Amino acid sequence: MHVCINITKEIFFLSVILICDLSFIKRMCSSIPRSSCALGVRTLFIAALLSVFQLSKQDCVWFGVCNTDAFNHNQYCSYNGTAKAMPNDGLNLLKERCSFLLDESQTEFCCDINQVKILNENVKLAAAILDRCPSCMSNLVRHICEFTCSANQSQFAHVAATQKNTEGVPYVSSLDLHITTEYMNKTYKSCSQVSVPQTGQLALDLMCGAYPASRCSPSKWFNYMGDVNNIYVPFQITYIQHPTNASINGTVPLNPHTFPCNKAINSLLPACSCSDCELSCPKAPPRTEFPEQFKIAGFDAYVVIMSSVYFVGVFIFLMGSFVFTQDSIIDENLTIDVNEVSNRTNFRKNTSFFENLGDKTEHFLEKVFTKWGTFFASYPWITLFAGAFLVSILGYGITFIQITTDPVQLWASPNSKSRIERDFFDTKFEPFFRIEQIIIKAVNLPNIIHKTSNGPITFGPVFHKDFLTVVFNLQEEIKNINANGTFLNDICYAPLSDEKSDINTSDCIIQSIWGYFQDDLSRLEETEEDNGFNEYFCLFPGNLFGCDISMHE
């Protein structure tokens, strides 16, 4: 409405000027040629139209600060006009967080120096959490810089509501910000794993309102950042998502450039670390692809080949035994003289091949071992002393043997980094306690598919309610083990207990999944609602295991 009134006034004012100018030109044309007079009229008319277009051009939706509410929030003045030149001090302030706006030597913006100061102060709140991941912080700040100071602000930002301050000046109280889904998803992905070491949580646990990081989503995150009920938001910002950055009815959705969390935004700032970005973690070498097993007729080729060799060998042996023994059959027409029984050639026509082979082998071994035994029997003392001397020489090395039973010395090299650090720790402090571990595996249990407001999430079988209950009971039984009068509290590590007082089992360090439930079985039954979805309650710091755990539907 204000725009139309302003344009109407400007057109009326220019029309009056044109009427006056035309009357002046009419008087002047009487004394100059007609062609020159026509050219001058056209030039004046075109200049007037360009002036109207320039005066009606609207690049901004606000400029300057007009109001400060009871919560010390600053609201910006409603403004329908072109961008204005930024002083050098303001340009230097823009370089802190919005340097990309100056890439094309831009000096005109839809914000003044006070708005830039407010922007930098507000960004510091998010920077305290997200600056550890430069790519995430850069992606998030880009759209804030754009809708605050961009010279083309009106293309993607529309004023939804205004109010007036005590002096009657209107200021923006609600803003519609058109933005692409692509930008929101990429920015959320780059920030979703950023952690807060001070609290042991993820950044989105603190920045997604009522939703923990496991139930947060791009839409929920951006809606919370624009919700006027958020104490850090000065006015309502409604994010309107567009599937693409195509122009719709003159509106061009905001689609700033983003960086993956594993990429550096410039040469001065590194990429996000592995603890804040899974893509930055070193990847395991690709799995070795073994060649397909060689098979014959669907069976292992080596089994088939060796079986064939075995059966062929047996067949050849049996055939050879049968063929070579045919000539050794006793001659039925041969008469044997009792006096010539010792001549065995009388019994057979010819001896077999295997018999000859066995006879020669036996004769050879008999000859060798006869000479061997005769030699050592002829020289008994030399044999005894030589044998004793040889055994003594060979057994002398046993004096240097060292039996190693320490597993650290067995499995850790003295020059390894872990061994050097452990030796340093042991020399400067007391030796570290020994950790006993029990690894429990869920067998024959399916995965859990739990429906949430962000879609279905798949969890492993270890999160089955019945399985966790069995683990809890086993843990309690281990705590109460009685080993000949020795209990867990007699040998456990309890750093928070007083040395002068008795140590209770509850003082012992026991790390298991039940520690997140404070070893309380009743907490497994607690639930909460999220947009009609049943969410099982948990106390996992930083949502290491996720809070969207549904043990059964």
Side-chain angles (χ1 to χ4, degrees), residues 194-435:
V194 178
S195 60
V196 184
Q198 296 86 341
T199 61
Q201 296 176 293
L202 296 178
L204 291 181
D205 282 321
L206 309 175
M207 301 181 64
C208 203
Y211 299 98
S214 62
R215 296 211 303 270
C216 192
S217 66
S219 298
K220 293 177 181 178
W221 185 30
F222 276 78
N223 289 340
Y224 177 71
M225 288 192 293
D227 189 359
V228 72
N229 296 318
N230 184 346
I231 61 173
Y232 300 107
V233 178
F235 48 84
Q236 177 65 38
I237 302 175
T238 303
Y239 289 91
I240 302 176
Q241 299 184 45
H242 293 257
T244 64
N245 60 346
S247 175
I248 302 176
N249 298 327
T251 299
V252 181
L254 187 61
N255 188 32
H257 177 68
T258 57
F259 297 89
C261 60
N262 62 328
K263 301 294 183 181
I265 59 177
N266 54 46
S267 58
L268 301 178
L269 296 174
C272 304
S273 63
C274 176
S275 60
D276 301 312
C277 174
E278 184 178 355
L279 296 177
S280 296
C281 297
K283 296 182 179 179
R287 183 177 179 180
T288 304
E289 295 293 337
F290 295 99
E292 187 177 356
Q293 187 178 13
F294 179 47
K295 294 184 177 181
I296 297 177
F299 299 96
D300 188 350
Y302 296 103
V303 175
V304 174
I305 293 173
M306 295 308 297
S307 299
S308 301
V309 170
Y310 171 76
F311 287 114
V312 170
V314 171
F315 177 77
I316 293 174
F317 176 79
L318 294 176
M319 291 297 295
S321 300
F322 177 76
V323 171
F324 287 118
T325 57
Q326 291 299 312
D327 295 337
S328 64
I329 301 174
I330 299 176
D331 189 354
E332 298 178 352
N333 299 321
L334 181 65
T335 59
I336 301 174
D337 191 353
V338 177
N339 297 325
E340 296 179 355
V341 171
S342 60
N343 188 359
R344 55 187 174 182
T345 59
N346 293 330
F347 288 92
R348 303 175 184 273
K349 294 180 180 180
N350 294 304
T351 57
S352 68
F353 171 79
F354 289 109
E355 289 177 342
N356 290 332
L357 179 62
D359 184 55
K360 291 179 180 179
T361 303
E362 182 180 356
H363 179 69
F364 173 77
L365 294 176
E366 180 180 349
K367 183 177 179 180
V368 170
F369 283 104
T370 299
K371 292 183 178 181
W372 178 284
T374 303
F375 174 80
F376 285 109
S378 301
Y379 305 98
W381 292 107
I382 295 177
T383 301
L384 292 175
F385 282 111
F389 179 75
L390 180 62
V391 172
S392 300
I393 293 298
L394 296 178
Y396 178 70
I398 198 172
T399 58
F400 300 100
I401 191 172
Q402 294 181 357
I403 306 300
T404 302
T405 58
D406 187 355
V408 175
Q409 297 181 4
L410 285 173
W411 304 110
S413 169
N415 298 324
S416 66
K417 183 179 179 181
S418 59
R419 180 75 174 273
I420 294 173
E421 291 179 350
R422 179 185 182 277
D423 292 341
F424 176 81
F425 184 90
D426 290 346
T427 56
K428 301 298 181 181
F429 307 96
E430 294 181 359
F432 200 63
F433 55 85
R434 181 176 179 179
I435 300 176

Side-chain angles (χ1 to χ4, degrees), residues 19-301:
I19 292 172
C20 296
D21 287 343
L22 288 174
S23 62
F24 173 75
I25 291 173
K26 185 176 181 180
R27 293 195 300 268
M28 292 293 296
C29 285
S30 59
S31 60
I32 60 176
R34 183 179 300 273
S35 60
S36 299
C37 180
L39 178 62
V41 172
R42 286 196 296 270
T43 302
L44 180 61
F45 185 74
I46 292 172
L49 288 179
L50 291 176
S51 299
V52 172
F53 176 77
Q54 183 66 26
L55 289 173
S56 62
K57 186 179 180 181
Q58 304 169 40
D59 295 326
C60 305
V61 298
W62 62 38
F63 190 88
V65 181
C66 283
N67 187 62
T68 303
D69 62 14
F71 299 100
N72 204 29
H73 293 156
N74 296 288
Q75 283 100 12
Y76 303 147
C77 307
S78 179
Y79 170 67
N80 300 314
T82 59
K84 298 182 180 181
M86 178 72 70
N88 291 332
D89 293 344
L91 296 177
N92 292 332
L93 290 174
L94 279 175
K95 292 179 181 179
E96 292 184 16
R97 293 291 179 179
C98 307
S99 58
F100 66 93
L101 293 177
L102 308 175
D103 289 344
E104 298 180 358
S105 301
Q106 180 73 21
T107 59
E108 296 182 348
F109 300 96
C110 292
C111 62
D112 62 6
I113 189 171
N114 290 329
Q115 287 177 275
V116 178
K117 290 179 179 179
I118 295 171
L119 184 151
N120 289 342
E121 288 296 324
N122 292 338
V123 167
K124 287 181 180 179
L125 297 174
I129 301 176
L130 301 179
D131 250 353
R132 58 184 286 115
C133 182
S135 303
C136 160
M137 189 62 199
S138 174
N139 294 340
L140 178 64
V141 169
R142 278 182 173 264
H143 90 282
I144 300 176
C145 294
E146 288 278 7
F147 81 74
T148 301
C149 291
S150 174
N152 300 317
Q153 197 180 61
S154 60
Q155 291 183 358
F156 50 81
H158 299 155
V159 176
T162 60
Q163 296 182 9
K164 293 184 178 181
N165 60 12
T166 55
E167 298 177 358
V169 179
Y171 62 86
V172 177
S173 60
S174 180
L175 183 74
D176 289 342
L177 184 60
H178 297 261
I179 197 166
T180 63
T181 303
E182 177 188 9
Y183 167 76
M184 294 176 63
N185 291 339
K186 288 184 176 180
T187 301
Y188 173 81
K189 185 177 180 180
S190 66
C191 298
S192 61
Q193 296 174 333
V194 178
S195 60
V196 184
Q198 296 86 341
T199 61
Q201 296 176 293
L202 296 178
L204 291 181
D205 282 321
L206 309 175
M207 301 181 64
C208 203
Y211 299 98
S214 62
R215 296 211 303 270
C216 192
S217 66
S219 298
K220 293 177 181 178
W221 185 30
F222 276 78
N223 289 340
Y224 177 71
M225 288 192 293
D227 189 359
V228 72
N229 296 318
N230 184 346
I231 61 173
Y232 300 107
V233 178
F235 48 84
Q236 177 65 38
I237 302 175
T238 303
Y239 289 91
I240 302 176
Q241 299 184 45
H242 293 257
T244 64
N245 60 346
S247 175
I248 302 176
N249 298 327
T251 299
V252 181
L254 187 61
N255 188 32
H257 177 68
T258 57
F259 297 89
C261 60
N262 62 328
K263 301 294 183 181
I265 59 177
N266 54 46
S267 58
L268 301 178
L269 296 174
C272 304
S273 63
C274 176
S275 60
D276 301 312
C277 174
E278 184 178 355
L279 296 177
S280 296
C281 297
K283 296 182 179 179
R287 183 177 179 180
T288 304
E289 295 293 337
F290 295 99
E292 187 177 356
Q293 187 178 13
F294 179 47
K295 294 184 177 181
I296 297 177
F299 299 96
D300 188 350

Side-chain angles (χ1 to χ4, degrees), residues 506-526:
S506 59
D507 299 327
C508 298
I509 293 293
I510 300 175
Q511 294 182 335
S512 74
I513 189 174
W514 277 100
Y516 296 106
F517 293 92
Q518 299 181 358
D519 292 335
D520 188 354
L521 188 61
S522 62
R523 289 184 176 271
L524 194 60
E525 304 293 339
E526 297 182 14

Side-chain angles (χ1 to χ4, degrees), residues 471-546:
V471 172
F472 176 80
N473 294 331
L474 177 61
Q475 177 178 303
E476 293 302 310
E477 292 177 2
I478 294 174
K479 288 182 179 180
N480 299 320
I481 287 179
N482 180 2
N484 298 325
T486 302
F487 296 89
L488 178 63
N489 58 308
D490 296 326
I491 60 173
C492 74
Y493 178 63
L496 300 181
S497 62
D498 189 357
E499 295 181 358
K500 299 180 180 180
S501 60
D502 295 335
I503 299 177
N504 298 320
T505 304
S506 59
D507 299 327
C508 298
I509 293 293
I510 300 175
Q511 294 182 335
S512 74
I513 189 174
W514 277 100
Y516 296 106
F517 293 92
Q518 299 181 358
D519 292 335
D520 188 354
L521 188 61
S522 62
R523 289 184 176 271
L524 194 60
E525 304 293 339
E526 297 182 14
T527 62
E528 59 183 18
E529 292 289 332
D530 177 19
N531 295 332
F533 292 93
N534 189 27
E535 307 293 349
Y536 278 81
F537 179 70
C538 68
L539 300 174
F540 298 161
N543 298 286
L544 297 177
F545 296 92

